[in-house]
Amino acid sequence: MDSLVRTTEGPESVSGPPETLESNDQPHSTTTTTTAEAAAALADEAVENQVQPADTVVAMDEATALKGLTEDVRDQGELERDITNQANLVMIEQEDERDEKRICKANGNIEKLEGEKRRKMQRLQSLANNPLMRKRCLEEVAQLNADIAALKKDISDIQSRINERHIHDGA
């Protein structure tokens, strides 16, 4: 049991005599007894030995300095025009999207009305013997034709607005 437990005493303890650490073939002035102390000492010396950039600063003349500062400067009026043009383009795009949705909706309504018109025409053919119902059905077909014509005119007007916006946009 005594052979398993071993104690060290005297000069051969866990922390040996202080040594000087060397890095990059240069001795360090700090003596340390633990690895943590050695790492801290190396970090401190690295901070102390940093080269200051003040030695390498090249003197620039005033014209070069001003040129560097004003390289990306734009005229205020030009900047405002660019921002206004971008905003106008976004507004035109949004108006075009709304108008395209209106055109799609109108086309859907036209298809629905034309389907109803076909049904009325089929019904009209079956009402050959009843003049009163035939007249009423013809009036409904005429109204459907008027509604379809109005929707087609709306689509034409919307498309002309879109084209007009793009003519003014290109000018």
Side-chain angles (χ1 to χ4, degrees), residues 6-154:
R6 183 172 169 223
T7 59
T8 56
E9 294 179 357
E12 294 180 347
S13 65
V14 174
S15 61
E19 299 176 5
T20 60
L21 298 174
E22 291 189 17
S23 171
N24 297 335
D25 298 329
Q26 298 174 2
H28 295 281
S29 60
T30 308
T31 57
T32 61
T33 57
T34 65
T35 307
E37 289 176 356
L42 284 174
D44 290 341
E45 284 184 23
V47 169
E48 291 172 2
N49 292 335
Q50 285 182 345
V51 178
Q52 298 298 327
D55 299 338
T56 60
V57 173
V58 177
M60 292 188 288
D61 61 350
E62 192 173 311
T64 307
L66 284 176
K67 182 180 177 190
L69 289 174
T70 60
E71 231 172 52
D72 295 328
V73 175
R74 293 178 61 188
D75 181 41
Q76 182 70 27
E78 180 183 334
L79 186 62
E80 289 174 1
R81 279 190 300 277
D82 285 350
I83 291 171
T84 302
N85 286 338
Q86 288 175 357
N88 286 340
L89 290 175
V90 169
M91 288 174 44
I92 287 172
E93 184 177 325
Q94 289 174 346
E95 290 172 2
D96 285 351
E97 288 175 7
R98 282 192 297 268
D99 283 344
E100 289 295 329
K101 286 180 183 178
R102 287 183 189 119
I103 288 173
C104 287
K105 185 176 178 181
N107 282 331
N109 287 338
I110 287 174
E111 288 177 15
K112 197 183 311 178
L113 291 174
E114 285 178 346
E116 191 174 335
K117 180 181 165 185
R118 279 190 296 275
R119 285 190 298 278
K120 295 287 181 184
M121 293 301 283
Q122 289 172 353
R123 185 171 176 221
L124 184 63
Q125 301 221 345
S126 68
L127 294 174
N129 296 336
N130 191 345
L132 181 62
M133 289 299 286
R134 187 173 171 84
K135 180 181 177 194
R136 192 177 293 165
C137 193
L138 284 172
E139 289 172 355
E140 290 174 358
V141 168
Q143 182 61 42
L144 289 172
N145 283 333
D147 291 344
I148 291 171
L151 286 172
K152 286 183 178 180
K153 183 182 180 318
D154 287 346

